[in-house]
Structure formats: structure tokens, C-alpha cells
Amino acid sequence: MFTRTTDRTLFTRGTAMFVSALTAGAIFTASTGAQAAEATPRTTAPVSTGTTAPVSTGITTPVSTSITAPASAVATSDDDADDAQWEALLNSMLSVPEDVLAQGDEATAAYLKQQQNRKPGQPLVGFGWPSFGCMGAVAVAIGTNLLPAAKMVKIVRVAKRVGVKRIVSAIKAIRKGKGHTLANDLQWVGAQLLGLEGVKAACH
């Protein structure tokens, strides 16, 4: 009876000591972990706001202030200059009186050279106010197959009848392949004048 009681007492004490040891170990482990957590610095990942600050490169892009005219405007300007040259050429021919033209190439060329040498400010005899350089170019062309006086008479008569601008329009139509839509006299005059491109270059 005494032996059983002693054994039970020893067992109870041993169990209590084992539980106490486990408890102490758990407390030590928990304490050590807490200290380690406090000793380790906390690292917090940056939070992206979705906004990126611009990075300056120190290079400034120059701002162009030049103005480029549209292609249509340039084409219109070229057409206007071309029209003015044709009109100046026709006005040079119209400035020659028909009675002078009727005298032939030499008389017509002499008349044009005389007008070309007039002093500035003196009124020109005949039709319009052609440029002196244009008249000189016409004078040089007269007497050649390019522009005999007899051909000038026909051109001048058509120009007086229909007007200079209408002949210029006829030249444009011929260039665009629409000459067949013109009256016969306009077709002929336009074709003759197109052969005078070199002469027209001196007309402004």
C-alpha cells in the first residue's frame, strides 16, 4: 500500500516538472522571437501613385516659326506669272500698228526696236504698255520662220477681236490637251504662241 502511494507521488511530481519545463521553453522561445522581430528593421515597399515625374534632359526643342506656303498657293502664283508673261507678249504685238505690220518683217522689226529705245516716260504708240525687253525679243524673232510679220498680223487681229485673256486661256487649254474644244482661230493662235516660249521668257 505504501509502495503504490510512493510511486503515484513520484509520477505526479515528474509530470509536473515536465510540464513546467515545456512551459518555460515556450515562454523563452516566444520572448526570443519578439526580441528578434524588434531588432530587425522594418522594410516597407514604396507605394506607386501612378504618377511619374518628368525627367529634364536639359535639351530644349527649337520652335519653328517659319511658315510654308501650301502647294496650291505656290502653283497659283506660278500660273499668274506665266499668264502675265503671255499677256505682255501679246501686248507687244498689239503695240505695232497694222499698217506697219503690213509693210513686212523689216518695217515691223524696226518699229519695235524704235519703241524699245524710247526714253523712259515717253508714251508708247499703239496698244497697251508692253515691256521694252519683251518688244526687243519680238523684234529679234521677226523675220524668222518662228514669227514672220504676216503671222503677227493674224495673231494681232484675233487678239483684238477676242481679247488677250481669252487667248491666254486658249494656251492653257492646249497645254492640258483640250485644244480640240476651242474655235479654229483660237487653236491656231495658241499653237503659234506656244512656239514662242523662248520669246515669252523676256516678257514680264
Side-chain angles (χ1 to χ4, degrees):
M1 182 70 179
F2 177 76
T3 303
R4 290 180 180 176
T5 301
T6 302
D7 292 339
R8 184 180 299 173
T9 300
L10 292 174
F11 175 77
T12 301
R13 288 180 180 176
T15 301
M17 291 176 66
F18 179 72
V19 171
S20 177
L22 287 176
T23 302
I27 292 173
F28 176 78
T29 301
S31 175
T32 304
Q35 292 177 2
E38 290 179 358
T40 303
R42 295 182 180 180
T43 303
T44 303
V47 179
S48 175
T49 60
T51 304
T52 303
V55 179
S56 175
T57 61
I59 301 174
T60 304
T61 303
V63 179
S64 175
T65 58
S66 61
I67 300 175
T68 303
S72 58
V74 175
T76 300
S77 177
D78 290 343
D79 288 344
D80 291 344
D82 190 66
D83 291 354
Q85 285 182 299
W86 284 121
E87 289 178 12
L89 175 57
L90 284 163
N91 284 332
S92 292
M93 295 182 181
L94 287 167
S95 69
V96 183
E98 284 198 45
D99 60 336
V100 175
L101 289 171
Q103 296 176 36
D105 296 344
E106 291 184 8
T108 302
Y111 176 85
L112 286 169
K113 288 179 180 179
Q114 180 185 4
Q115 296 299 316
Q116 184 185 15
N117 294 329
R118 293 178 72 86
K119 294 180 181 178
Q122 283 187 289
L124 296 172
V125 178
F127 183 91
W129 292 85
S131 67
F132 295 118
C134 191
M135 286 191 296
V138 174
V140 171
I142 292 175
T144 66
N145 292 330
L146 201 60
L147 188 61
K151 183 182 291 186
M152 273 187 65
V153 171
K154 295 180 180 179
I155 294 174
V156 167
R157 286 177 178 173
V158 174
K160 285 183 177 180
R161 180 167 53 84
V162 303
V164 170
K165 291 188 179 297
R166 190 172 175 185
I167 292 178
V168 173
S169 296
I171 293 172
K172 289 181 178 179
I174 294 172
R175 279 177 166 172
K176 294 178 181 179
K178 298 180 180 179
H180 61 280
T181 64
L182 303 171
N184 291 335
D185 54 352
L186 284 175
Q187 288 186 46
W188 182 85
V189 170
Q192 302 308 311
L193 291 174
L194 283 171
L196 300 177
E197 283 280 2
V199 177
K200 184 205 70 171
C203 303
H204 301 285

Tab-separated table of all heavy atoms in Angstrom, residues 37-98:
chain	number	residue	atom	x	y	z
A	37	ALA	N	12.307	40.173	-33.665
A	37	ALA	CA	11.441	40.990	-34.535
A	37	ALA	C	11.674	42.460	-34.312
A	37	ALA	O	11.657	43.264	-35.230
A	37	ALA	CB	9.977	40.623	-34.273
A	38	GLU	N	11.898	42.852	-33.029
A	38	GLU	CA	12.144	44.256	-32.735
A	38	GLU	C	13.503	44.693	-33.253
A	38	GLU	O	13.697	45.831	-33.664
A	38	GLU	CB	12.062	44.477	-31.228
A	38	GLU	CG	10.638	44.342	-30.681
A	38	GLU	CD	10.587	44.542	-29.180
A	38	GLU	OE1	11.689	44.755	-28.598
A	38	GLU	OE2	9.503	44.485	-28.594
A	39	ALA	N	14.483	43.759	-33.208
A	39	ALA	CA	15.838	44.116	-33.640
A	39	ALA	C	15.935	44.261	-35.152
A	39	ALA	O	16.771	44.987	-35.663
A	39	ALA	CB	16.832	43.051	-33.142
A	40	THR	N	15.089	43.570	-35.935
A	40	THR	CA	15.159	43.620	-37.399
A	40	THR	C	14.421	44.850	-37.916
A	40	THR	O	13.244	45.045	-37.600
A	40	THR	CB	14.507	42.357	-38.007
A	40	THR	OG1	15.163	41.217	-37.470
A	40	THR	CG2	14.612	42.384	-39.526
A	41	PRO	N	15.093	45.735	-38.678
A	41	PRO	CA	14.399	46.950	-39.174
A	41	PRO	C	13.293	46.580	-40.139
A	41	PRO	O	13.427	45.683	-40.954
A	41	PRO	CB	15.534	47.732	-39.890
A	41	PRO	CG	16.538	46.683	-40.247
A	41	PRO	CD	16.486	45.662	-39.140
A	42	ARG	N	12.224	47.307	-40.024
A	42	ARG	CA	11.074	47.059	-40.888
A	42	ARG	C	11.297	47.710	-42.253
A	42	ARG	O	11.703	48.849	-42.335
A	42	ARG	CB	9.794	47.620	-40.258
A	42	ARG	CG	9.411	46.916	-38.964
A	42	ARG	CD	8.124	47.487	-38.422
A	42	ARG	NE	7.739	46.832	-37.179
A	42	ARG	CZ	6.639	47.149	-36.488
A	42	ARG	NH1	5.870	48.128	-36.924
A	42	ARG	NH2	6.341	46.499	-35.377
A	43	THR	N	11.024	46.957	-43.269
A	43	THR	CA	11.176	47.470	-44.649
A	43	THR	C	9.813	47.552	-45.297
A	43	THR	O	9.133	46.531	-45.436
A	43	THR	CB	12.070	46.547	-45.484
A	43	THR	OG1	13.333	46.427	-44.835
A	43	THR	CG2	12.250	47.095	-46.886
A	44	THR	N	9.426	48.740	-45.671
A	44	THR	CA	8.098	48.941	-46.280
A	44	THR	C	8.276	49.239	-47.753
A	44	THR	O	9.015	50.157	-48.124
A	44	THR	CB	7.353	50.117	-45.620
A	44	THR	OG1	7.268	49.842	-44.226
A	44	THR	CG2	5.972	50.290	-46.234
A	45	ALA	N	7.647	48.468	-48.627
A	45	ALA	CA	7.764	48.676	-50.080
A	45	ALA	C	7.098	49.976	-50.464
A	45	ALA	O	6.038	50.309	-49.953
A	45	ALA	CB	7.087	47.509	-50.807
A	46	PRO	N	7.737	50.783	-51.349
A	46	PRO	CA	7.113	52.050	-51.774
A	46	PRO	C	5.808	51.777	-52.511
A	46	PRO	O	5.693	50.833	-53.271
A	46	PRO	CB	8.171	52.669	-52.709
A	46	PRO	CG	8.972	51.493	-53.188
A	46	PRO	CD	9.002	50.526	-52.043
A	47	VAL	N	4.885	52.628	-52.267
A	47	VAL	CA	3.568	52.505	-52.903
A	47	VAL	C	3.535	53.400	-54.126
A	47	VAL	O	3.770	54.609	-54.019
A	47	VAL	CB	2.435	52.898	-51.930
A	47	VAL	CG1	1.085	52.774	-52.619
A	47	VAL	CG2	2.504	52.008	-50.694
A	48	SER	N	3.287	52.816	-55.306
A	48	SER	CA	3.243	53.593	-56.553
A	48	SER	C	1.951	54.383	-56.626
A	48	SER	O	0.866	53.851	-56.377
A	48	SER	CB	3.331	52.646	-57.754
A	48	SER	OG	3.168	53.368	-58.928
A	49	THR	N	2.078	55.660	-56.955
A	49	THR	CA	0.881	56.517	-57.086
A	49	THR	C	0.401	56.606	-58.506
A	49	THR	O	-0.589	57.255	-58.792
A	49	THR	CB	1.191	57.941	-56.597
A	49	THR	OG1	2.249	58.470	-57.405
A	49	THR	CG2	1.636	57.937	-55.158
A	50	GLY	N	1.174	55.967	-59.446
A	50	GLY	CA	0.751	56.010	-60.845
A	50	GLY	C	1.172	57.276	-61.558
A	50	GLY	O	0.841	57.499	-62.708
A	51	THR	N	1.901	58.170	-60.858
A	51	THR	CA	2.330	59.439	-61.455
A	51	THR	C	3.844	59.455	-61.561
A	51	THR	O	4.529	59.263	-60.556
A	51	THR	CB	1.862	60.631	-60.604
A	51	THR	OG1	0.454	60.546	-60.450
A	51	THR	CG2	2.244	61.950	-61.270
A	52	THR	N	4.378	59.656	-62.783
A	52	THR	CA	5.819	59.679	-62.999
A	52	THR	C	6.272	61.106	-63.224
A	52	THR	O	5.740	61.798	-64.105
A	52	THR	CB	6.200	58.835	-64.229
A	52	THR	OG1	5.709	57.505	-64.031
A	52	THR	CG2	7.706	58.809	-64.426
A	53	ALA	N	7.187	61.556	-62.427
A	53	ALA	CA	7.677	62.928	-62.573
A	53	ALA	C	8.473	63.035	-63.855
A	53	ALA	O	9.252	62.138	-64.185
A	53	ALA	CB	8.552	63.301	-61.375
A	54	PRO	N	8.302	64.122	-64.631
A	54	PRO	CA	9.072	64.277	-65.869
A	54	PRO	C	10.549	64.427	-65.586
A	54	PRO	O	10.938	65.053	-64.604
A	54	PRO	CB	8.486	65.565	-66.476
A	54	PRO	CG	7.915	66.307	-65.314
A	54	PRO	CD	7.416	65.247	-64.358
A	55	VAL	N	11.345	63.825	-66.456
A	55	VAL	CA	12.793	63.906	-66.308
A	55	VAL	C	13.331	64.946	-67.261
A	55	VAL	O	13.123	64.852	-68.471
A	55	VAL	CB	13.439	62.531	-66.607
A	55	VAL	CG1	14.951	62.622	-66.479
A	55	VAL	CG2	12.869	61.476	-65.673
A	56	SER	N	13.979	65.941	-66.756
A	56	SER	CA	14.527	67.001	-67.600
A	56	SER	C	15.824	66.544	-68.221
A	56	SER	O	16.712	66.044	-67.536
A	56	SER	CB	14.757	68.257	-66.760
A	56	SER	OG	15.395	69.239	-67.534
A	57	THR	N	15.942	66.686	-69.570
A	57	THR	CA	17.157	66.294	-70.276
A	57	THR	C	18.075	67.471	-70.513
A	57	THR	O	19.194	67.306	-70.986
A	57	THR	CB	16.803	65.670	-71.630
A	57	THR	OG1	16.111	66.649	-72.411
A	57	THR	CG2	15.923	64.450	-71.460
A	58	GLY	N	17.577	68.677	-70.223
A	58	GLY	CA	18.396	69.867	-70.439
A	58	GLY	C	18.455	70.297	-71.886
A	58	GLY	O	19.161	71.198	-72.249
A	59	ILE	N	17.702	69.617	-72.771
A	59	ILE	CA	17.702	69.945	-74.196
A	59	ILE	C	16.353	70.558	-74.550
A	59	ILE	O	15.309	69.944	-74.322
A	59	ILE	CB	17.938	68.691	-75.056
A	59	ILE	CG1	19.291	68.062	-74.682
A	59	ILE	CG2	17.873	69.023	-76.532
A	59	ILE	CD1	19.542	66.754	-75.383
A	60	THR	N	16.367	71.739	-75.072
A	60	THR	CA	15.131	72.423	-75.456
A	60	THR	C	14.935	72.317	-76.951
A	60	THR	O	15.819	72.664	-77.728
A	60	THR	CB	15.186	73.907	-75.063
A	60	THR	OG1	15.447	73.991	-73.665
A	60	THR	CG2	13.874	74.604	-75.393
A	61	THR	N	13.790	71.794	-77.353
A	61	THR	CA	13.494	71.654	-78.782
A	61	THR	C	13.159	73.016	-79.369
A	61	THR	O	12.286	73.707	-78.852
A	61	THR	CB	12.288	70.715	-78.990
A	61	THR	OG1	12.597	69.464	-78.381
A	61	THR	CG2	12.014	70.527	-80.473
A	62	PRO	N	13.866	73.438	-80.424
A	62	PRO	CA	13.571	74.753	-81.000
A	62	PRO	C	12.193	74.772	-81.632
A	62	PRO	O	11.751	73.802	-82.221
A	62	PRO	CB	14.681	74.921	-82.061
A	62	PRO	CG	15.074	73.514	-82.391
A	62	PRO	CD	14.924	72.733	-81.116
A	63	VAL	N	11.533	75.881	-81.477
A	63	VAL	CA	10.206	76.050	-82.057
A	63	VAL	C	10.347	76.748	-83.395
A	63	VAL	O	10.888	77.848	-83.479
A	63	VAL	CB	9.299	76.881	-81.118
A	63	VAL	CG1	7.931	77.073	-81.757
A	63	VAL	CG2	9.170	76.192	-79.769
A	64	SER	N	9.882	76.084	-84.437
A	64	SER	CA	9.990	76.658	-85.784
A	64	SER	C	8.932	77.711	-85.988
A	64	SER	O	7.751	77.483	-85.725
A	64	SER	CB	9.819	75.548	-86.829
A	64	SER	OG	9.814	76.111	-88.121
A	65	THR	N	9.368	78.881	-86.466
A	65	THR	CA	8.424	79.964	-86.731
A	65	THR	C	8.234	80.196	-88.222
A	65	THR	O	7.524	81.101	-88.620
A	65	THR	CB	8.926	81.270	-86.085
A	65	THR	OG1	10.230	81.570	-86.602
A	65	THR	CG2	9.024	81.123	-84.575
A	66	SER	N	8.912	79.376	-89.022
A	66	SER	CA	8.795	79.564	-90.466
A	66	SER	C	7.426	79.110	-90.944
A	66	SER	O	6.853	78.165	-90.418
A	66	SER	CB	9.882	78.778	-91.202
A	66	SER	OG	9.746	77.398	-90.933
A	67	ILE	N	6.906	79.797	-91.930
A	67	ILE	CA	5.595	79.483	-92.488
A	67	ILE	C	5.791	79.036	-93.929
A	67	ILE	O	6.376	79.755	-94.742
A	67	ILE	CB	4.669	80.715	-92.444
A	67	ILE	CG1	4.487	81.165	-90.979
A	67	ILE	CG2	3.331	80.397	-93.081
A	67	ILE	CD1	3.693	82.439	-90.853
A	68	THR	N	5.349	77.842	-94.212
A	68	THR	CA	5.476	77.305	-95.561
A	68	THR	C	4.158	77.455	-96.300
A	68	THR	O	3.117	77.033	-95.807
A	68	THR	CB	5.857	75.811	-95.517
A	68	THR	OG1	7.071	75.678	-94.766
A	68	THR	CG2	6.052	75.261	-96.921
A	69	ALA	N	4.231	78.069	-97.449
A	69	ALA	CA	3.010	78.248	-98.225
A	69	ALA	C	2.541	76.912	-98.768
A	69	ALA	O	3.352	76.079	-99.153
A	69	ALA	CB	3.273	79.219	-99.385
A	70	PRO	N	1.239	76.678	-98.764
A	70	PRO	CA	0.729	75.415	-99.308
A	70	PRO	C	1.045	75.287	-100.787
A	70	PRO	O	1.223	76.290	-101.490
A	70	PRO	CB	-0.787	75.528	-99.063
A	70	PRO	CG	-1.045	76.994	-98.890
A	70	PRO	CD	0.195	77.559	-98.268
A	71	ALA	N	1.127	74.051	-101.263
A	71	ALA	CA	1.500	73.796	-102.656
A	71	ALA	C	0.535	74.475	-103.612
A	71	ALA	O	0.925	74.966	-104.671
A	71	ALA	CB	1.541	72.291	-102.908
A	72	SER	N	-0.757	74.503	-103.260
A	72	SER	CA	-1.748	75.117	-104.146
A	72	SER	C	-1.482	76.602	-104.333
A	72	SER	O	-1.663	77.146	-105.422
A	72	SER	CB	-3.155	74.906	-103.574
A	72	SER	OG	-3.249	75.457	-102.269
A	73	ALA	N	-1.020	77.263	-103.244
A	73	ALA	CA	-0.735	78.696	-103.336
A	73	ALA	C	0.465	78.951	-104.239
A	73	ALA	O	0.484	79.909	-105.019
A	73	ALA	CB	-0.484	79.276	-101.944
A	74	VAL	N	1.502	78.087	-104.134
A	74	VAL	CA	2.691	78.235	-104.980
A	74	VAL	C	2.322	78.014	-106.442
A	74	VAL	O	2.770	78.748	-107.333
A	74	VAL	CB	3.774	77.231	-104.545
A	74	VAL	CG1	4.956	77.294	-105.498
A	74	VAL	CG2	4.219	77.517	-103.122
A	75	ALA	N	1.489	76.993	-106.721
A	75	ALA	CA	1.086	76.705	-108.091
A	75	ALA	C	0.302	77.872	-108.677
A	75	ALA	O	0.471	78.239	-109.841
A	75	ALA	CB	0.246	75.425	-108.123
A	76	THR	N	-0.572	78.470	-107.876
A	76	THR	CA	-1.364	79.613	-108.338
A	76	THR	C	-0.458	80.785	-108.678
A	76	THR	O	-0.665	81.480	-109.677
A	76	THR	CB	-2.380	80.028	-107.260
A	76	THR	OG1	-3.252	78.919	-106.993
A	76	THR	CG2	-3.213	81.210	-107.727
A	77	SER	N	0.566	81.010	-107.843
A	77	SER	CA	1.497	82.108	-108.089
A	77	SER	C	2.250	81.898	-109.400
A	77	SER	O	2.438	82.844	-110.179
A	77	SER	CB	2.477	82.214	-106.914
A	77	SER	OG	3.430	83.229	-107.156
A	78	ASP	N	2.683	80.652	-109.654
A	78	ASP	CA	3.392	80.344	-110.899
A	78	ASP	C	2.481	80.547	-112.111
A	78	ASP	O	2.917	81.056	-113.143
A	78	ASP	CB	3.898	78.902	-110.873
A	78	ASP	CG	5.033	78.711	-109.870
A	78	ASP	OD1	5.626	79.727	-109.458
A	78	ASP	OD2	5.302	77.561	-109.498
A	79	ASP	N	1.234	80.135	-112.000
A	79	ASP	CA	0.280	80.307	-113.104
A	79	ASP	C	0.053	81.779	-113.406
A	79	ASP	O	-0.027	82.181	-114.568
A	79	ASP	CB	-1.060	79.638	-112.756
A	79	ASP	CG	-0.964	78.126	-112.791
A	79	ASP	OD1	0.016	77.601	-113.360
A	79	ASP	OD2	-1.870	77.464	-112.244
A	80	ASP	N	-0.056	82.581	-112.344
A	80	ASP	CA	-0.278	84.021	-112.533
A	80	ASP	C	0.908	84.668	-113.249
A	80	ASP	O	0.738	85.520	-114.131
A	80	ASP	CB	-0.499	84.706	-111.178
A	80	ASP	CG	-1.832	84.310	-110.540
A	80	ASP	OD1	-2.699	83.773	-111.266
A	80	ASP	OD2	-1.994	84.533	-109.327
A	81	ALA	N	2.130	84.254	-112.870
A	81	ALA	CA	3.328	84.815	-113.507
A	81	ALA	C	3.384	84.412	-114.977
A	81	ALA	O	3.742	85.214	-115.843
A	81	ALA	CB	4.578	84.336	-112.771
A	82	ASP	N	3.007	83.164	-115.263
A	82	ASP	CA	3.005	82.684	-116.639
A	82	ASP	C	1.979	83.454	-117.473
A	82	ASP	O	2.251	83.848	-118.616
A	82	ASP	CB	2.693	81.186	-116.662
A	82	ASP	CG	2.920	80.569	-118.037
A	82	ASP	OD1	4.069	80.532	-118.488
A	82	ASP	OD2	1.924	80.133	-118.664
A	83	ASP	N	0.811	83.655	-116.908
A	83	ASP	CA	-0.242	84.413	-117.612
A	83	ASP	C	0.232	85.835	-117.920
A	83	ASP	O	-0.017	86.363	-119.011
A	83	ASP	CB	-1.511	84.480	-116.758
A	83	ASP	CG	-2.203	83.128	-116.634
A	83	ASP	OD1	-1.769	82.167	-117.301
A	83	ASP	OD2	-3.174	83.031	-115.858
A	84	ALA	N	0.912	86.451	-116.945
A	84	ALA	CA	1.383	87.831	-117.139
A	84	ALA	C	2.396	87.904	-118.278
A	84	ALA	O	2.408	88.888	-119.041
A	84	ALA	CB	1.998	88.341	-115.839
A	85	GLN	N	3.223	86.871	-118.413
A	85	GLN	CA	4.205	86.869	-119.499
A	85	GLN	C	3.525	86.746	-120.864
A	85	GLN	O	3.907	87.432	-121.818
A	85	GLN	CB	5.208	85.736	-119.300
A	85	GLN	CG	6.222	85.999	-118.204
A	85	GLN	CD	7.227	84.871	-118.082
A	85	GLN	OE1	6.867	83.735	-117.801
A	85	GLN	NE2	8.489	85.180	-118.306
A	86	TRP	N	2.518	85.863	-120.950
A	86	TRP	CA	1.800	85.739	-122.221
A	86	TRP	C	1.088	87.045	-122.570
A	86	TRP	O	1.072	87.465	-123.729
A	86	TRP	CB	0.781	84.603	-122.148
A	86	TRP	CG	1.361	83.222	-122.237
A	86	TRP	CD1	1.266	82.224	-121.324
A	86	TRP	CD2	2.132	82.694	-123.325
A	86	TRP	NE1	1.935	81.114	-121.761
A	86	TRP	CE2	2.483	81.372	-122.984
A	86	TRP	CE3	2.580	83.215	-124.538
A	86	TRP	CZ2	3.237	80.550	-123.824
A	86	TRP	CZ3	3.351	82.403	-125.369
A	86	TRP	CH2	3.669	81.090	-125.016
A	87	GLU	N	0.520	87.680	-121.565
A	87	GLU	CA	-0.184	88.948	-121.822
A	87	GLU	C	0.801	90.019	-122.286
A	87	GLU	O	0.491	90.815	-123.190
A	87	GLU	CB	-0.913	89.395	-120.557
A	87	GLU	CG	-2.119	88.523	-120.208
A	87	GLU	CD	-2.807	88.962	-118.929
A	87	GLU	OE1	-2.483	90.073	-118.437
A	87	GLU	OE2	-3.659	88.210	-118.417
A	88	ALA	N	1.984	90.056	-121.691
A	88	ALA	CA	2.993	91.039	-122.098
A	88	ALA	C	3.443	90.791	-123.538
A	88	ALA	O	3.645	91.745	-124.318
A	88	ALA	CB	4.189	90.971	-121.161
A	89	LEU	N	3.590	89.515	-123.921
A	89	LEU	CA	3.976	89.188	-125.294
A	89	LEU	C	2.915	89.652	-126.287
A	89	LEU	O	3.225	90.270	-127.320
A	89	LEU	CB	4.194	87.683	-125.424
A	89	LEU	CG	4.485	87.151	-126.836
A	89	LEU	CD1	5.710	87.830	-127.436
A	89	LEU	CD2	4.658	85.639	-126.811
A	90	LEU	N	1.666	89.369	-125.963
A	90	LEU	CA	0.578	89.781	-126.857
A	90	LEU	C	0.466	91.296	-126.933
A	90	LEU	O	0.222	91.856	-128.020
A	90	LEU	CB	-0.745	89.174	-126.364
A	90	LEU	CG	-0.916	87.685	-126.664
A	90	LEU	CD1	-2.026	87.082	-125.810
A	90	LEU	CD2	-1.216	87.469	-128.151
A	91	ASN	N	0.671	91.974	-125.793
A	91	ASN	CA	0.596	93.430	-125.811
A	91	ASN	C	1.724	94.038	-126.638
A	91	ASN	O	1.557	95.100	-127.266
A	91	ASN	CB	0.645	93.986	-124.377
A	91	ASN	CG	-0.673	93.802	-123.647
A	91	ASN	OD1	-1.733	93.756	-124.268
A	91	ASN	ND2	-0.611	93.682	-122.332
A	92	SER	N	2.884	93.369	-126.661
A	92	SER	CA	3.984	93.845	-127.502
A	92	SER	C	3.594	93.772	-128.978
A	92	SER	O	3.894	94.681	-129.771
A	92	SER	CB	5.242	93.013	-127.252
A	92	SER	OG	5.746	93.237	-125.968
A	93	MET	N	2.933	92.686	-129.350
A	93	MET	CA	2.471	92.545	-130.743
A	93	MET	C	1.366	93.548	-131.058
A	93	MET	O	1.344	94.156	-132.137
A	93	MET	CB	1.958	91.126	-130.967
A	93	MET	CG	3.020	90.048	-130.857
A	93	MET	SD	2.320	88.410	-131.198
A	93	MET	CE	3.763	87.371	-130.958
A	94	LEU	N	0.471	93.749	-130.112
A	94	LEU	CA	-0.644	94.669	-130.337
A	94	LEU	C	-0.194	96.121	-130.386
A	94	LEU	O	-0.922	96.997	-130.881
A	94	LEU	CB	-1.678	94.494	-129.216
A	94	LEU	CG	-2.512	93.209	-129.286
A	94	LEU	CD1	-3.254	92.982	-127.975
A	94	LEU	CD2	-3.488	93.262	-130.447
A	95	SER	N	1.018	96.385	-129.852
A	95	SER	CA	1.503	97.769	-129.873
A	95	SER	C	1.959	98.193	-131.264
A	95	SER	O	2.176	99.386	-131.517
A	95	SER	CB	2.674	97.914	-128.881
A	95	SER	OG	3.809	97.210	-129.342
A	96	VAL	N	2.112	97.230	-132.167
A	96	VAL	CA	2.546	97.552	-133.535
A	96	VAL	C	1.308	97.865	-134.379
A	96	VAL	O	0.411	97.035	-134.514
A	96	VAL	CB	3.320	96.365	-134.147
A	96	VAL	CG1	3.821	96.736	-135.542
A	96	VAL	CG2	4.481	95.963	-133.248
A	97	PRO	N	1.256	99.033	-134.967
A	97	PRO	CA	0.116	99.372	-135.838
A	97	PRO	C	0.030	98.411	-137.019
A	97	PRO	O	1.053	97.935	-137.540
A	97	PRO	CB	0.440	100.800	-136.320
A	97	PRO	CG	1.376	101.338	-135.289
A	97	PRO	CD	2.195	100.164	-134.840
A	98	GLU	N	-1.172	98.130	-137.479
A	98	GLU	CA	-1.359	97.171	-138.568
A	98	GLU	C	-0.732	97.662	-139.867
A	98	GLU	O	-0.286	96.865	-140.691
A	98	GLU	CB	-2.852	96.876	-138.762
A	98	GLU	CG	-3.411	95.951	-137.689
A	98	GLU	CD	-4.728	95.313	-138.111
A	98	GLU	OE1	-4.832	94.834	-139.267
A	98	GLU	OE2	-5.652	95.298	-137.285
